[in-house]
Amino acid sequence: MKLLLLAATTLLLSSMAHAAQDPEAVFNRSCGACHNGQLPMAPKKGDTAAWTPRLAQGMDKLVQHVTDGYNAMPPRGLCTDCSAEDFQAIIQWMSK
């Protein structure tokens, strides 16, 4: 019984781990148009000086901004199939 429970838990966790999309792929298809420097008010990927004050707001606030839209960013940041987990991973990837 314990082995069955362990196998089910492992399967569930592995399926959850694969639910997130690749941050770089999402950036290239949805975020890069603005976050590659074309839109001056959007923090550029890798610009730690621009990202530091944003990250200080907390990840929940940043994910909310992406989800709801913020300033010139449209709701969901043009990624209609992204989850909150995806947005978090993309923000972390862009801020480095």
Side-chain angles (χ1 to χ4, degrees), residues 31-54:
C31 311
C34 297
H35 289 278
N36 267 332
Q38 293 85 335
L39 192 62
M41 62 196 130
K44 189 174 177 182
K45 191 250 180 277
D47 183 348
T48 55
W51 280 103
T52 298
R54 289 167 171 87

Side-chain angles (χ1 to χ4, degrees), residues 13-89:
L13 290 175
S14 68
S15 69
M16 287 172 37
H18 294 293
Q21 299 182 56
D22 175 54
E24 185 174 5
V26 175
F27 176 84
N28 289 334
R29 96 170 171 253
S30 299
C31 311
C34 297
H35 289 278
N36 267 332
Q38 293 85 335
L39 192 62
M41 62 196 130
K44 189 174 177 182
K45 191 250 180 277
D47 183 348
T48 55
W51 280 103
T52 298
R54 289 167 171 87
L55 292 170
Q57 297 176 52
M59 190 56 71
D60 289 342
K61 181 58 108 179
L62 295 178
V63 170
Q64 180 186 0
H65 284 170
V66 177
T67 304
D68 298 341
Y70 187 75
N71 292 332
M73 183 168 48
R76 307 201 60 77
L78 300 178
C79 185
T80 58
D81 64 339
C82 284
S83 66
E85 182 182 47
D86 292 327
F87 289 138
Q88 183 173 345

